[in-house]
Amino acid sequence: MAELRHSGERGRGAPGSSPLKREDAAAATPFVSSSVATSDRDLDRDKDPHPHRATSAFLLSLPPPLRSLLSLEDPRSPSASFSYRILIAFLSFTFFLLLLSIPSIWKHLNGPYICKKEGITLHCPPTKEPPSLWENPYAAATSWKPCAERLPNEISDVPSENDTSGYIFIHAEGGLNQQRIAICNAVAVAKIINATLILPVLKQDQIWKDQTKFEDIFDVDHFINYLKDDVRIVRDIPDWFTEKTELFTSIKRTVKNIPKYASAQFYIDNVLPRVKEKKIMSLKPFVDRLGYDNVPTEINRLRCRVNYHALKFLPDIDEMADKLAARMRNRTSGLNPYMALHLRFEKGMVGLSFCDFVGTREEKAMMATYRQKEWPRRYKNGSHLWQLALQKRKEGRCPLEPGEVAVILRAMGYPRETQIYVASGQVYGGKNRMAPLRNMFPNLVTKEELASKEEIDHFRKHVTSLAALDFLVCLKSDVFVMTHGGNFAKLIIGARRYMGHRLKSIKPDKGVMSKTFGDPYMGWASFVEDVAITHQTRTGLPEETFPNYDLWENPLTPCMCRA
């Protein structure tokens, strides 16, 4: 600094130098001594013949306060005092703004990840309740009406018993809802090949271990009478066919190798000739053995007629479901809407999904052992499962955990007081796994909590009857929320669409949600906005059908008409 001051004083005292020249000289070499500057000029002479001009032009282009600092102008001089005052004022203003923003920055850096978790309890900020929380907008939901029923002037084209091509028989496999779909498809196939349908048998499933018969769950008389103008249906195998056991066991009486989602033409070409030859044939297996967009429209309309009109549960099941729905709406002092939540997080579903979930090392080890025992071919040595689990979660193919469901519902605007009916089996992880959902929405009940022991025991003899109660209470709810795919959820959503699109049926976008839950920088306000935008069109509103669409979830085109 002594050198710099000496150089400056010498420059000011040089004879014949004007103040402007002295300023240019000082600006040309502000941070080096005169000897170093001279040496540098000698070395750089070949590079730049006018170094002083370039440096002076650069300094003159800067704001006055910075130019004053870089030129080391004396702050006591009149020309520099004004620039220094501007700089000090600017720095003071910037410092003041920084002080004001410190609390906001601190809150942002220390804010919770979407929701704050304390033990097994989730705390999410409140969300403003949207106007269409409990139903879809009227204008968007009244443009279609159901029209699967036969018209009054339609003439029956059912042939006499002797004029049909023969008899077909099916086993309706799986749980209640898979059986329901199989029954609808059986009626449709009978219509396609002009056959008589023998009342389907509900096969005992290895998982459900249920021995329910058709007449134990559905109203047989209504089923046969309602469809009498569409298909001929008989209760039992004809008496003239004496070898009834052969129909269940003999390969000669079974049409096998029917491809999944087969076309109507496949049945005409491959099944009809054998039915004509043998007169009675069994179709096995029959799960998803009829397509959607490769069959005539009137056949799809017939399937809707069976599903929404012909298949009725027994009166005692209907009555009990009405009681449960009424109790849900009257749990508080006034009449309230209620939500039905189909929570798919049973041990079997978690294991079958091969997804990874939050848990202790002991839980993960036990689940790995369970998967290896139940699905050894898929499990193999387990080394590939981690990458598979990550991929499935990104694609939205993993069941939502109860805690994730709670956060999504709160982001949608549902308050703590929401009445929620839970249709679910035994949740994997028990009370600890359910705690985040139950703590955020304490008015959470099941049919076992709504009904008395005597009322429930009446239906325990048939597992399918309990599933039917869940089906009807969900169907009657103001809002239905699914958490994973399956026949139960898609049949509920399809039926609610058919009844009128005002009924809100929420289908969470699990792919988008998985990305959101994995974003460490996502704040609550941004999360709420993402949830609202993502689910604007996922609430059971009318959707045009597309190739290979699922008729049971979206009956719009074949089974509904413009209002």
Side-chain angles (χ1 to χ4, degrees):
M1 290 301 294
E3 240 182 328
L4 291 173
R5 284 196 298 272
H6 175 71
S7 176
E9 289 170 1
R10 185 175 56 188
R12 283 193 298 272
S17 60
S18 66
L20 181 59
K21 291 182 179 179
R22 287 198 301 270
E23 188 175 66
D24 289 343
T29 56
F31 296 116
V32 294
S33 65
S34 58
S35 60
V36 174
T38 303
S39 174
D40 289 344
R41 284 195 300 270
D42 293 337
L43 291 172
D44 296 337
R45 186 170 295 152
D46 295 334
K47 299 179 182 178
D48 188 358
H50 303 290
H52 297 290
R53 294 180 186 177
T55 309
S56 297
F58 168 72
L59 288 173
L60 289 172
S61 67
L62 296 173
L66 292 177
R67 190 165 64 243
S68 299
L69 285 175
L70 292 176
S71 62
L72 295 179
E73 187 175 343
D74 189 349
R76 292 172 297 179
S77 66
S79 60
S81 59
F82 180 70
S83 298
Y84 271 93
R85 282 197 294 270
I86 293 176
L87 180 62
I88 291 172
F90 175 76
L91 292 176
S92 300
F93 181 70
T94 304
F95 182 70
F96 178 70
L97 290 178
L98 183 62
L99 286 177
L100 291 178
S101 61
I102 283 176
S104 176
I105 295 173
W106 180 260
K107 183 178 180 180
H108 178 75
L109 292 176
N110 291 275
Y113 164 59
I114 302 182
C115 298
K116 186 177 180 181
K117 187 174 183 180
E118 293 180 358
I120 56 176
T121 304
L122 283 174
H123 298 282
C124 298
T127 306
K128 185 179 179 181
E129 185 174 315
S132 59
L133 188 65
W134 290 101
E135 62 182 6
N136 284 320
Y138 180 81
T142 55
S143 55
W144 294 83
K145 64 179 182 180
C147 60
E149 292 186 277
R150 289 183 65 90
L151 298 176
N153 58 351
E154 279 191 73
I155 300 174
S156 173
D157 57 352
V158 176
S160 64
E161 185 175 356
N162 295 329
D163 292 333
T164 62
S165 57
Y167 293 81
I168 61 170
F169 173 81
I170 68 139
H171 276 112
E173 303 174 7
L176 170 65
N177 302 291
Q178 186 170 302
Q179 290 171 345
R180 188 184 190 97
I181 292 173
I183 293 167
C184 295
N185 288 342
V187 173
V189 169
K191 182 71 173 180
I192 290 170
I193 63 174
N194 194 27
T196 298
L197 176 66
I198 300 170
L199 195 69
V201 170
L202 308 186
K203 187 178 179 181
Q204 299 179 25
D205 189 82
Q206 293 180 352
I207 298 176
W208 288 81
K209 295 180 173 60
D210 189 25
Q211 298 181 5
T212 305
K213 297 179 181 179
F214 193 104
E215 56 268 27
D216 294 330
I217 190 80
F218 296 113
D219 187 334
V220 177
D221 291 333
H222 176 78
F223 178 72
I224 294 176
N225 290 332
Y226 189 88
L227 296 171
K228 68 180 186 301
D229 292 328
D230 293 297
V231 174
R232 182 172 298 282
I233 303 173
V234 296
R235 288 176 177 267
D236 205 353
I237 301 170
D239 293 335
W240 55 263
F241 187 75
T242 55
E243 300 176 355
K244 293 186 179 181
T245 54
E246 184 180 318
L247 192 58
F248 294 90
T249 57
S250 175
I251 193 170
K252 295 179 180 179
R253 292 284 179 181
T254 304
V255 180
K256 288 183 174 289
N257 302 321
I258 300 174
K260 275 200 168 187
Y261 308 111
S263 65
Q265 194 61 44
F266 176 89
Y267 283 94
I268 294 172
D269 295 339
N270 298 278
V271 178
L272 178 58
R274 297 199 62 187
V275 172
K276 284 183 174 180
E277 178 189 357
K278 298 290 185 179
K279 293 302 178 183
I280 296 182
M281 292 296 292
S282 171
L283 311 184
K284 184 181 179 181
F286 199 66
V287 177
D288 296 329
R289 288 312 194 268
L290 185 63
Y292 302 115
D293 57 347
N294 53 2
V295 300
T297 301
E298 59 268 21
I299 295 298
N300 280 333
R301 188 163 162 256
L302 173 61
R303 291 156 97 181
C304 289
R305 191 148 61 243
V306 179
N307 186 26
Y308 302 130
H309 300 283
L311 279 175
K312 279 193 172 184
F313 293 115
L314 291 175
D316 60 334
I317 298 175
D318 265 330
E319 291 170 8
M320 190 66 221
D322 287 336
K323 289 180 181 178
L324 294 177
R327 290 171 190 175
M328 281 300 301
R329 289 199 168 89
N330 291 279
R331 294 190 71 225
T332 58
S333 55
L335 192 64
N336 293 301
Y338 76 92
M339 173 191 293
L341 175 64
H342 185 221
L343 192 60
R344 296 298 306 275
F345 209 76
E346 306 91 347
K347 182 178 180 180
M349 177 56 63
V350 173
L352 181 61
S353 71
F354 277 82
C355 294
D356 187 57
F357 298 97
V358 176
T360 63
R361 290 185 179 180
E362 183 181 0
E363 285 179 322
K364 291 179 182 291
M366 290 174 64
M367 178 53 68
T369 303
Y370 172 70
R371 286 170 172 166
Q372 187 175 20
K373 177 184 176 183
E374 296 293 330
W375 302 280
R377 291 185 179 180
R378 289 185 61 188
Y379 188 86
K380 299 178 183 178
N381 60 4
S383 60
H384 67 294
L385 295 181
W386 174 244
Q387 289 296 329
L388 175 65
L390 287 177
Q391 185 64 27
K392 293 187 75 172
R393 186 164 290 277
K394 288 179 182 178
E395 294 172 356
R397 294 192 289 142
C398 293
L400 288 172
E401 296 190 46
E404 293 174 329
V405 176
V407 174
I408 293 173
L409 293 180
R410 178 56 53 85
M412 288 180 175
Y414 291 98
R416 178 179 174 84
E417 299 76 24
T418 301
Q419 303 291 329
I420 301 179
Y421 178 88
V422 179
S424 172
Q426 183 64 41
V427 173
Y428 176 67
K431 292 182 178 180
N432 285 342
R433 184 73 67 174
M434 283 292 293
L437 176 60
R438 189 174 288 277
N439 290 334
M440 194 175 295
F441 296 98
N443 296 319
L444 203 72
V445 292
T446 62
K447 58 181 174 292
E448 289 79 9
E449 295 169 309
L450 278 177
S452 66
K453 184 178 182 300
E454 292 75 18
E455 288 175 323
I456 288 294
D457 285 345
H458 174 70
F459 298 96
R460 288 193 186 279
K461 57 184 177 181
H462 299 301
V463 176
T464 309
S465 298
L466 294 175
L469 288 177
D470 277 340
F471 184 92
L472 289 175
V473 178
C474 288
L475 188 63
K476 299 171 188 291
S477 65
D478 297 275
V479 172
F480 173 71
V481 181
M482 63 173 287
T483 60
H484 197 51
N487 293 321
F488 183 99
K490 68 183 181 184
L491 282 170
I492 290 286
I493 292 176
R496 289 166 67 86
R497 278 177 162 152
Y498 186 76
M499 292 161 56
H501 293 93
R502 291 299 299 278
L503 297 173
K504 204 167 188 178
S505 303
I506 300 173
K507 185 179 180 180
D509 190 329
K510 295 182 292 182
V512 172
M513 289 299 98
S514 68
K515 296 176 184 176
T516 303
F517 286 135
D519 185 353
Y521 303 105
M522 176 68 74
W524 178 250
S526 300
F527 177 70
V528 170
E529 183 180 5
D530 280 2
V531 170
I533 293 173
T534 302
H535 295 90
Q536 280 179 345
T537 58
R538 301 179 70 88
T539 59
L541 289 169
E543 290 182 20
E544 293 291 344
T545 52
F546 49 87
N548 300 314
Y549 69 93
D550 195 317
L551 176 71
W552 313 114
E553 185 175 333
N554 185 15
L556 187 68
T557 302
C559 307
M560 303 187 74
C561 309
R562 287 281 184 184

